[in-house]
Short mmCIF file of all heavy atoms in Angstrom, two decimals:
data_model
loop_
_atom_site.label_atom_id
_atom_site.label_comp_id
_atom_site.label_asym_id
_atom_site.label_seq_id
_atom_site.Cartn_x
_atom_site.Cartn_y
_atom_site.Cartn_z
N ILE C 22 36.55 108.90 -118.34
CA ILE C 22 37.64 108.36 -119.16
C ILE C 22 38.93 108.30 -118.34
O ILE C 22 39.66 107.30 -118.37
CB ILE C 22 37.84 109.21 -120.42
CG1 ILE C 22 36.60 109.12 -121.32
CG2 ILE C 22 39.08 108.75 -121.19
CD1 ILE C 22 36.65 110.04 -122.53
N GLY C 23 39.22 109.38 -117.59
CA GLY C 23 40.43 109.40 -116.79
C GLY C 23 40.45 108.33 -115.72
O GLY C 23 41.49 107.68 -115.49
N LEU C 24 39.31 108.12 -115.07
CA LEU C 24 39.24 107.12 -114.01
C LEU C 24 39.43 105.71 -114.57
O LEU C 24 40.21 104.91 -114.03
CB LEU C 24 37.89 107.22 -113.29
CG LEU C 24 37.67 106.24 -112.13
CD1 LEU C 24 38.69 106.48 -111.04
CD2 LEU C 24 36.24 106.39 -111.58
N VAL C 25 38.74 105.39 -115.66
CA VAL C 25 38.87 104.07 -116.26
C VAL C 25 40.29 103.85 -116.78
O VAL C 25 40.88 102.77 -116.59
CB VAL C 25 37.84 103.87 -117.39
CG1 VAL C 25 38.10 102.56 -118.14
CG2 VAL C 25 36.42 103.87 -116.84
N ALA C 26 40.86 104.86 -117.43
CA ALA C 26 42.23 104.73 -117.95
C ALA C 26 43.23 104.51 -116.83
O ALA C 26 44.16 103.70 -116.95
CB ALA C 26 42.59 105.98 -118.76
N THR C 27 43.04 105.21 -115.71
CA THR C 27 43.95 105.05 -114.57
C THR C 27 43.86 103.65 -113.99
O THR C 27 44.89 103.00 -113.72
CB THR C 27 43.63 106.09 -113.49
OG1 THR C 27 43.78 107.41 -114.04
CG2 THR C 27 44.55 105.94 -112.29
N ILE C 28 42.65 103.16 -113.79
CA ILE C 28 42.47 101.81 -113.25
C ILE C 28 43.00 100.77 -114.23
O ILE C 28 43.63 99.78 -113.83
CB ILE C 28 40.98 101.57 -112.92
CG1 ILE C 28 40.55 102.47 -111.77
CG2 ILE C 28 40.73 100.11 -112.58
CD1 ILE C 28 39.07 102.43 -111.47
N ALA C 29 42.76 100.99 -115.52
CA ALA C 29 43.24 100.04 -116.54
C ALA C 29 44.77 99.98 -116.55
O ALA C 29 45.37 98.89 -116.58
CB ALA C 29 42.71 100.43 -117.91
N PHE C 30 45.40 101.15 -116.52
CA PHE C 30 46.87 101.18 -116.53
C PHE C 30 47.42 100.56 -115.25
O PHE C 30 48.35 99.74 -115.29
CB PHE C 30 47.36 102.62 -116.66
CG PHE C 30 48.86 102.76 -116.59
CD1 PHE C 30 49.66 102.38 -117.66
CD2 PHE C 30 49.47 103.26 -115.43
CE1 PHE C 30 51.04 102.50 -117.59
CE2 PHE C 30 50.84 103.37 -115.35
CZ PHE C 30 51.64 102.99 -116.43
N GLY C 31 46.85 100.95 -114.11
CA GLY C 31 47.31 100.39 -112.84
C GLY C 31 47.10 98.89 -112.77
O GLY C 31 47.96 98.15 -112.26
N GLY C 32 45.96 98.41 -113.29
CA GLY C 32 45.70 96.97 -113.30
C GLY C 32 46.69 96.20 -114.15
O GLY C 32 47.14 95.11 -113.78
N THR C 33 47.05 96.79 -115.29
CA THR C 33 48.02 96.13 -116.18
C THR C 33 49.40 96.05 -115.52
O THR C 33 50.07 95.01 -115.57
CB THR C 33 48.13 96.90 -117.51
OG1 THR C 33 46.84 96.96 -118.12
CG2 THR C 33 49.09 96.21 -118.45
N VAL C 34 49.82 97.15 -114.90
CA VAL C 34 51.11 97.17 -114.21
C VAL C 34 51.13 96.15 -113.09
O VAL C 34 52.11 95.40 -112.91
CB VAL C 34 51.42 98.58 -113.67
CG1 VAL C 34 52.67 98.56 -112.78
CG2 VAL C 34 51.60 99.56 -114.82
N TYR C 35 50.05 96.10 -112.32
CA TYR C 35 49.99 95.15 -111.20
C TYR C 35 50.01 93.71 -111.70
O TYR C 35 50.70 92.85 -111.13
CB TYR C 35 48.72 95.40 -110.38
CG TYR C 35 48.55 94.44 -109.23
CD1 TYR C 35 49.28 94.61 -108.05
CD2 TYR C 35 47.68 93.35 -109.32
CE1 TYR C 35 49.13 93.71 -106.99
CE2 TYR C 35 47.52 92.47 -108.27
CZ TYR C 35 48.26 92.65 -107.11
OH TYR C 35 48.12 91.77 -106.07
N ALA C 36 49.27 93.42 -112.77
CA ALA C 36 49.24 92.06 -113.31
C ALA C 36 50.63 91.65 -113.81
O ALA C 36 51.06 90.51 -113.62
CB ALA C 36 48.22 91.97 -114.44
N ASP C 37 51.32 92.59 -114.46
CA ASP C 37 52.68 92.30 -114.93
C ASP C 37 53.60 92.01 -113.75
O ASP C 37 54.45 91.11 -113.80
CB ASP C 37 53.23 93.47 -115.73
CG ASP C 37 52.51 93.63 -117.07
OD1 ASP C 37 51.73 92.73 -117.42
OD2 ASP C 37 52.73 94.66 -117.74
N PHE C 38 53.46 92.79 -112.69
CA PHE C 38 54.29 92.59 -111.51
C PHE C 38 54.03 91.21 -110.88
O PHE C 38 54.97 90.50 -110.52
CB PHE C 38 54.00 93.69 -110.49
CG PHE C 38 54.62 93.45 -109.14
CD1 PHE C 38 55.98 93.62 -108.95
CD2 PHE C 38 53.83 93.04 -108.06
CE1 PHE C 38 56.55 93.39 -107.70
CE2 PHE C 38 54.39 92.81 -106.83
CZ PHE C 38 55.76 92.99 -106.64
N GLU C 39 52.77 90.85 -110.78
CA GLU C 39 52.42 89.55 -110.21
C GLU C 39 52.96 88.41 -111.06
O GLU C 39 53.35 87.35 -110.54
CB GLU C 39 50.90 89.41 -110.08
CG GLU C 39 50.31 90.22 -108.94
CD GLU C 39 50.75 89.68 -107.59
OE1 GLU C 39 50.57 88.47 -107.34
OE2 GLU C 39 51.31 90.47 -106.80
N ALA C 40 52.99 88.61 -112.38
CA ALA C 40 53.46 87.54 -113.27
C ALA C 40 54.94 87.27 -113.10
O ALA C 40 55.41 86.14 -113.34
CB ALA C 40 53.16 87.90 -114.73
N THR C 41 55.71 88.28 -112.74
CA THR C 41 57.16 88.12 -112.62
C THR C 41 57.61 87.92 -111.18
O THR C 41 58.80 87.70 -110.94
CB THR C 41 57.87 89.36 -113.20
OG1 THR C 41 57.40 90.54 -112.52
CG2 THR C 41 57.58 89.49 -114.69
N ARG C 42 56.68 88.00 -110.24
CA ARG C 42 57.06 87.85 -108.84
C ARG C 42 57.28 86.37 -108.52
O ARG C 42 56.62 85.50 -109.06
CB ARG C 42 55.96 88.42 -107.94
CG ARG C 42 56.38 88.55 -106.49
CD ARG C 42 55.34 89.28 -105.69
NE ARG C 42 54.11 88.50 -105.55
CZ ARG C 42 53.12 88.81 -104.74
NH1 ARG C 42 53.22 89.90 -104.02
NH2 ARG C 42 52.04 88.08 -104.68
N GLY C 43 58.17 86.08 -107.63
CA GLY C 43 58.43 84.70 -107.23
C GLY C 43 59.81 84.25 -107.67
O GLY C 43 60.55 84.97 -108.34
N SER C 44 60.13 83.04 -107.31
CA SER C 44 61.46 82.51 -107.61
C SER C 44 61.61 82.19 -109.09
O SER C 44 60.63 81.92 -109.78
CB SER C 44 61.73 81.25 -106.78
OG SER C 44 60.76 80.26 -107.07
N TYR C 45 62.83 82.21 -109.56
CA TYR C 45 63.13 81.93 -110.96
C TYR C 45 62.86 80.47 -111.28
O TYR C 45 63.24 79.56 -110.54
CB TYR C 45 64.59 82.27 -111.25
CG TYR C 45 65.00 81.97 -112.68
CD1 TYR C 45 64.73 82.86 -113.70
CD2 TYR C 45 65.64 80.77 -113.00
CE1 TYR C 45 65.09 82.60 -115.01
CE2 TYR C 45 66.01 80.49 -114.30
CZ TYR C 45 65.74 81.40 -115.30
OH TYR C 45 66.09 81.13 -116.60
N GLN C 46 62.14 80.23 -112.40
CA GLN C 46 61.85 78.86 -112.84
C GLN C 46 62.51 78.63 -114.19
O GLN C 46 62.22 79.35 -115.15
CB GLN C 46 60.33 78.64 -112.96
CG GLN C 46 59.57 78.86 -111.66
CD GLN C 46 59.96 77.87 -110.58
OE1 GLN C 46 60.43 76.76 -110.87
NE2 GLN C 46 59.78 78.27 -109.33
N PRO C 47 63.42 77.66 -114.29
CA PRO C 47 64.12 77.43 -115.56
C PRO C 47 63.22 76.77 -116.60
O PRO C 47 62.19 76.19 -116.28
CB PRO C 47 65.26 76.49 -115.16
CG PRO C 47 64.70 75.74 -113.98
CD PRO C 47 63.84 76.73 -113.24
N ALA C 48 63.64 76.89 -117.85
CA ALA C 48 62.92 76.24 -118.94
C ALA C 48 63.22 74.74 -118.94
O ALA C 48 64.23 74.28 -118.39
CB ALA C 48 63.32 76.86 -120.27
N VAL C 49 62.35 73.98 -119.59
CA VAL C 49 62.56 72.54 -119.74
C VAL C 49 63.66 72.31 -120.77
O VAL C 49 63.70 72.97 -121.81
CB VAL C 49 61.25 71.85 -120.19
CG1 VAL C 49 61.49 70.36 -120.43
CG2 VAL C 49 60.15 72.08 -119.17
N THR C 50 64.57 71.39 -120.48
CA THR C 50 65.64 71.03 -121.41
C THR C 50 65.67 69.52 -121.59
O THR C 50 64.98 68.78 -120.88
CB THR C 50 67.01 71.51 -120.89
OG1 THR C 50 67.32 70.78 -119.68
CG2 THR C 50 66.99 73.01 -120.60
N LEU C 51 66.49 69.06 -122.53
CA LEU C 51 66.62 67.62 -122.76
C LEU C 51 67.15 66.91 -121.53
O LEU C 51 66.86 65.72 -121.30
CB LEU C 51 67.55 67.36 -123.95
CG LEU C 51 67.01 67.78 -125.32
CD1 LEU C 51 68.07 67.54 -126.39
CD2 LEU C 51 65.74 67.02 -125.65
N ALA C 52 67.88 67.60 -120.69
CA ALA C 52 68.42 67.00 -119.48
C ALA C 52 67.33 66.63 -118.48
O ALA C 52 67.56 65.82 -117.57
CB ALA C 52 69.42 67.95 -118.83
N ASP C 53 66.13 67.22 -118.66
CA ASP C 53 65.03 66.93 -117.73
C ASP C 53 64.36 65.60 -118.03
O ASP C 53 63.58 65.10 -117.21
CB ASP C 53 63.98 68.05 -117.78
CG ASP C 53 64.55 69.37 -117.31
OD1 ASP C 53 65.20 69.37 -116.25
OD2 ASP C 53 64.35 70.40 -117.99
N ALA C 54 64.62 65.02 -119.21
CA ALA C 54 64.03 63.73 -119.54
C ALA C 54 64.80 62.62 -118.82
O ALA C 54 66.04 62.65 -118.77
CB ALA C 54 64.06 63.50 -121.04
N PRO C 55 64.11 61.64 -118.25
CA PRO C 55 64.80 60.60 -117.48
C PRO C 55 65.72 59.72 -118.31
O PRO C 55 66.73 59.23 -117.83
CB PRO C 55 63.65 59.78 -116.88
CG PRO C 55 62.48 60.05 -117.78
CD PRO C 55 62.65 61.46 -118.26
N ALA C 56 65.40 59.51 -119.58
CA ALA C 56 66.24 58.66 -120.43
C ALA C 56 66.02 59.04 -121.88
O ALA C 56 64.91 59.43 -122.27
CB ALA C 56 65.92 57.19 -120.21
N ALA C 57 67.05 58.93 -122.69
CA ALA C 57 66.94 59.29 -124.10
C ALA C 57 66.17 58.22 -124.86
O ALA C 57 66.18 57.05 -124.51
CB ALA C 57 68.33 59.46 -124.70
N ASP C 58 65.48 58.66 -125.91
CA ASP C 58 64.76 57.75 -126.81
C ASP C 58 65.41 57.88 -128.18
O ASP C 58 65.26 58.90 -128.85
CB ASP C 58 63.28 58.12 -126.87
CG ASP C 58 62.47 57.14 -127.70
OD1 ASP C 58 63.07 56.41 -128.52
OD2 ASP C 58 61.23 57.11 -127.56
N PRO C 59 66.17 56.86 -128.63
CA PRO C 59 66.92 56.98 -129.88
C PRO C 59 66.04 57.15 -131.11
O PRO C 59 66.54 57.55 -132.17
CB PRO C 59 67.71 55.66 -129.93
CG PRO C 59 66.94 54.73 -129.05
CD PRO C 59 66.36 55.57 -127.97
N SER C 60 64.74 56.85 -131.00
CA SER C 60 63.87 56.99 -132.17
C SER C 60 63.44 58.43 -132.42
O SER C 60 62.83 58.73 -133.44
CB SER C 60 62.62 56.12 -131.99
OG SER C 60 61.81 56.61 -130.93
N LEU C 61 63.75 59.32 -131.48
CA LEU C 61 63.32 60.71 -131.59
C LEU C 61 64.48 61.61 -131.95
O LEU C 61 65.61 61.41 -131.48
CB LEU C 61 62.72 61.19 -130.26
CG LEU C 61 61.56 60.37 -129.67
CD1 LEU C 61 61.14 60.95 -128.32
CD2 LEU C 61 60.38 60.34 -130.63
N ASP C 62 64.23 62.62 -132.80
CA ASP C 62 65.28 63.62 -133.03
C ASP C 62 65.28 64.60 -131.86
O ASP C 62 64.49 64.49 -130.92
CB ASP C 62 65.09 64.31 -134.38
CG ASP C 62 63.84 65.18 -134.47
OD1 ASP C 62 63.34 65.65 -133.42
OD2 ASP C 62 63.33 65.39 -135.59
N GLU C 63 66.14 65.58 -131.93
CA GLU C 63 66.34 66.47 -130.78
C GLU C 63 65.08 67.26 -130.43
O GLU C 63 64.73 67.41 -129.26
CB GLU C 63 67.49 67.43 -131.08
CG GLU C 63 67.89 68.29 -129.89
CD GLU C 63 69.15 69.08 -130.15
OE1 GLU C 63 70.18 68.46 -130.49
OE2 GLU C 63 69.11 70.32 -130.02
N GLN C 64 64.35 67.77 -131.46
CA GLN C 64 63.15 68.54 -131.18
C GLN C 64 62.03 67.65 -130.64
O GLN C 64 61.31 68.04 -129.73
CB GLN C 64 62.69 69.27 -132.45
CG GLN C 64 61.58 70.28 -132.24
CD GLN C 64 62.00 71.46 -131.38
OE1 GLN C 64 63.16 71.86 -131.38
NE2 GLN C 64 61.06 72.02 -130.64
N GLU C 65 61.88 66.45 -131.19
CA GLU C 65 60.89 65.52 -130.67
C GLU C 65 61.21 65.12 -129.23
O GLU C 65 60.31 64.98 -128.40
CB GLU C 65 60.84 64.27 -131.55
CG GLU C 65 60.22 64.49 -132.93
CD GLU C 65 60.36 63.25 -133.79
OE1 GLU C 65 61.48 62.73 -133.92
OE2 GLU C 65 59.32 62.81 -134.34
N ALA C 66 62.50 64.96 -128.94
CA ALA C 66 62.91 64.63 -127.58
C ALA C 66 62.57 65.76 -126.61
O ALA C 66 62.20 65.51 -125.45
CB ALA C 66 64.40 64.33 -127.55
#
């Protein structure tokens, strides 16, 4: 039990670290669209 729990905890910590490693990536915003579509509301856009 101790061995499996240790590997499980260590694996989770390592996976979390790998997920946050690397350069910051911003979220998508309306400014990322090349041109506005007047038929769409803000959420659809």
Side-chain angles (χ1 to χ4, degrees):
I22 296 174
L24 181 62
V25 172
T27 300
I28 293 173
F30 176 75
T33 302
V34 172
Y35 178 78
D37 291 351
F38 170 75
E39 285 293 306
T41 56
R42 192 173 68 169
S44 59
Y45 178 82
Q46 300 297 335
V49 177
T50 65
L51 291 177
D53 296 313
D58 184 341
S60 66
L61 304 178
D62 67 25
E63 187 172 304
Q64 189 65 30
E65 289 174 308

